[in-house]
Amino acid sequence: MIEEIGEVLKAFGKWDRFGSGSRHPNGGMTNAEEALFELEDLKGAIDVYLPDVRAIVHRDAAMAASNDNAKKS
């Protein structure tokens, strides 16, 4: 995920510096196309991690609630 975030930042940095339609001198995708490609990669990484992160957050919240109820008893 961290690698993908870095690539998104790099793509948008090029977009900001050179414009959305600019390409590398040797050709390839435009900066806008590169940004879209990297955002899609990031979305894929998010889709992989999101279920696990949600499960951990819900588990931790349930444990905290259980601990709070035990303290009140």
Side-chain angles (χ1 to χ4, degrees), residues 37-59:
F37 178 83
E38 297 303 345
L39 283 171
E40 289 171 345
D41 278 356
L42 177 57
K43 184 181 180 307
I46 289 169
D47 290 345
V48 168
Y49 283 96
L50 190 57
D52 291 338
V53 172
R54 279 190 179 131
I56 291 166
V57 168
H58 291 299
R59 180 202 65 203

